[in-house]
Amino acid sequence: MSGQPRASGGHASQGMGEPRPATRARLDALHDALEEVTQRQAGYPANLAYDYSALTPFLRYSLNNIGDPFHESNYQVNTRAIEREVVATFADLMHLPAAEAWGYVTSGGTEGNMYGLYLARKLHPDGIVYFSQDTHYSVLKNLSVLNMRNIMIKSQENGELDYDDLYETVRIHRDTPVIVMANIGTTMKGAIDDLTRVRGILEDLAITNHYIHADAALSGLILPFVEDPQPYGFDAGIDSVSLSGHKVIGAPLPCGVVLTKNDYVNRVARSVEYLGTLDTTVPGSRSGFTPLILWYALEHYGLDGLRTLVGGMLDTAAYAVERFKEKGVPAWRNRNSVTVVFPRPAEAIVQAWQLAPLGDIAHVITMPHVTRAMVDDIVDACAGSSGATET
Ligand SMILES: *Cc1c(COP(=O)(O)O)cnc(C)c1O
């Protein structure tokens, strides 16, 4: 340890004290409003059912995991060891051997996608990025930030890549490295691109320079816990993957994990002397609190607990599809998905349940806080809505 003298408690709150009455009133009003809207949130893939109060004392520390979590830093108020444990667990779930694994806790799925594309560009500066129409909006933004050449591929009706279109498009660019942005659970329909078919296409066309990044924001934490998962991990040929932490696991601060092979990262690493660490991450300063959240959740659930959690979500999704159908609403979902898709209902229903709509569809995502009673209420509302009877 550093041998620095320690303030005997209270250092963090020094100078702030109790809020003024007007400030307290604002906080109370905000608290009530948040409590209210949290009860009716069924359209976004965030688990709202958690309790991290055991971590409250750590809000008193300026935790900062600046730079590469696998290298020590001169800044000692950090949770880097905890972060490495989180990365190791996620690597295991994604079938990435520990000796080859590198990753860090990100600010969310978007940053993880950016990291994957950034590495892909470092490795294949002239590559073209291929991604389906159903890909998350963050990808187009990231491609614009990174200024990477890209081609959008058609999607099938269920949200999966159109493999014929991918084949044809790659075929006419056979002289160029291929970077595939594969969806392991699309945002609107929960569709999973078939990594075996994607690799088959690259093999058929004798493409040797390729990179596959998986956007597994939501389903990356579902597939490891089901009986018969679609291929999703490093064993299925991906080179990097982005997962969200605030989705299946749930977190009061947005966060995620990005994983790749340490061999790739060594090629982009740059040492920053005054930090005593490596500049391998997109941000410089990084939260030391979010790794603690994910670590705590993993400790709390364990892998069996997560399996139970995910099983419950899938059961509720199956229940929702059944209930919708009973009421004559043509709802459906992809295999191993908790995203239940149905015709867009009246705006009041979208608002009331925070259902994410897109064009003529909407979805309910059966996250752990979405109960069967909530599903019943939504189904009843939709069955009585003009939007549902149009189709
Ligand atoms: C949610 C989501 C993202 C973005 O994740 P954030 O954590 O919100 O940045 C990216 N891709 C997919 C498929 C998602 O569902």
Side-chain angles (χ1 to χ4, degrees):
M1 295 309 292
S2 65
Q4 294 284 334
R6 272 183 156 216
S8 51
H11 65 281
S13 59
Q14 213 173 27
M16 287 182 106
E18 278 298 301
R20 285 180 288 123
T23 310
R24 166 55 54 204
R26 288 289 299 277
L27 290 175
D28 289 347
L30 178 63
H31 185 268
D32 291 350
L34 293 173
E35 195 58 35
E36 160 74 14
V37 290
T38 295
Q39 305 304 321
R40 292 178 290 100
Q41 214 272 67
Y44 291 88
N47 178 0
L48 307 181
Y50 54 75
D51 178 3
Y52 292 108
S53 46
L55 302 181
T56 308
F58 296 92
L59 284 172
R60 294 163 56 100
Y61 298 99
S62 298
L63 302 174
N64 192 331
N65 289 5
I66 191 161
D68 191 320
F70 288 84
H71 287 78
E72 280 317 314
S73 159
N74 294 340
Y75 185 86
Q76 294 178 5
V77 187
N78 67 55
T79 61
R80 306 167 92 80
I82 293 273
E83 182 174 16
R84 289 193 293 270
E85 285 184 41
V86 171
V87 168
T89 303
F90 275 71
D92 204 38
L93 292 175
M94 294 294 114
H95 307 145
L96 175 60
E100 294 171 39
W102 186 89
Y104 71 94
V105 174
T106 61
S107 61
T110 300
E111 184 186 329
N113 284 339
M114 169 176 277
Y115 199 81
L117 290 170
Y118 166 66
L119 268 188
R121 193 184 66 177
K122 286 278 181 190
L123 300 171
H124 305 289
D126 305 322
I128 299 179
V129 181
Y130 301 86
F131 61 99
S132 83
Q133 281 174 312
D134 279 53
T135 300
H136 190 256
Y137 66 87
S138 66
V139 172
L140 264 180
K141 176 173 59 187
N142 282 330
L143 289 169
S144 147
V145 171
L146 290 160
N147 194 22
M148 293 169 84
R149 194 172 162 202
N150 62 83
I151 301 178
M152 188 186 276
I153 303 296
K154 281 189 258 178
S155 294
Q156 302 179 50
E157 195 54 39
N158 76 338
E160 217 176 309
L161 266 171
D162 178 329
Y163 304 101
D164 295 335
D165 192 34
L166 179 66
Y167 183 95
E168 275 311 307
T169 314
V170 172
R171 193 182 61 77
I172 52 182
H173 298 93
R174 283 181 65 177
D175 57 339
T176 314
V178 173
I179 300 166
V180 179
M181 183 77 179
N183 284 306
I184 303 299
T186 60
T187 309
M188 265 325 279
K189 298 175 178 169
I192 295 169
D193 293 337
D194 186 338
L195 293 171
T196 309
R197 289 192 70 175
V198 169
R199 283 171 69 206
I201 289 168
L202 301 178
E203 266 166 45
D204 280 356
L205 294 169
I207 306 283
T208 48
N209 287 325
H210 54 74
Y211 186 103
I212 302 177
H213 173 81
D215 179 356
L218 175 63
S219 298
L221 279 168
I222 294 176
L223 295 182
F225 303 108
V226 302
E227 286 282 322
D228 181 23
Q230 293 91 330
Y232 63 90
F234 284 80
D235 54 338
I238 63 169
D239 296 290
S240 52
V241 61
S242 168
L243 301 105
S244 288
H246 54 277
K247 291 189 172 174
V248 172
I249 289 179
L253 301 171
C255 56
V257 172
V258 67
L259 296 168
T260 186
K261 301 177 182 178
N262 48 24
D263 177 40
Y264 297 164
V265 176
N266 291 337
R267 302 190 215 173
V268 303
R270 213 163 49 86
S271 166
V272 184
E273 189 193 351
Y274 95 102
L275 298 176
T277 190
L278 285 179
D279 182 26
T280 43
T281 52
V282 172
S285 286
R286 296 187 302 109
S287 176
F289 195 80
T290 48
L292 200 52
I293 290 170
L294 295 179
W295 179 85
Y296 184 78
L298 293 171
E299 288 280 306
H300 167 76
Y301 288 113
L303 297 184
D304 285 337
L306 286 174
R307 189 168 291 110
T308 305
L309 186 80
V310 165
M313 291 163 67
L314 287 161
D315 287 349
T316 309
Y319 174 79
V321 170
E322 279 310 304
R323 286 293 327 250
F324 271 120
K325 284 184 173 164
E326 274 168 33
K327 295 276 180 162
V329 178
W332 62 277
R333 67 187 176 113
N334 275 299
R335 188 162 75 81
N336 291 328
S337 170
V338 296
T339 303
V340 176
V341 184
F342 51 93
R344 182 178 185 147
E347 192 54 27
I349 301 170
V350 169
Q351 289 296 326
W353 294 98
Q354 303 168 59
L355 307 178
L358 181 75
D360 54 5
I361 61 168
H363 64 211
V364 160
I365 304 187
T366 54
M367 300 308 286
H369 66 278
V370 176
T371 59
R372 289 183 182 215
M374 280 168 77
V375 168
D376 290 344
D377 286 349
I378 295 167
V379 168
D380 290 344
C382 289
S385 144
S386 56
T389 50
E390 276 166 20
T391 47

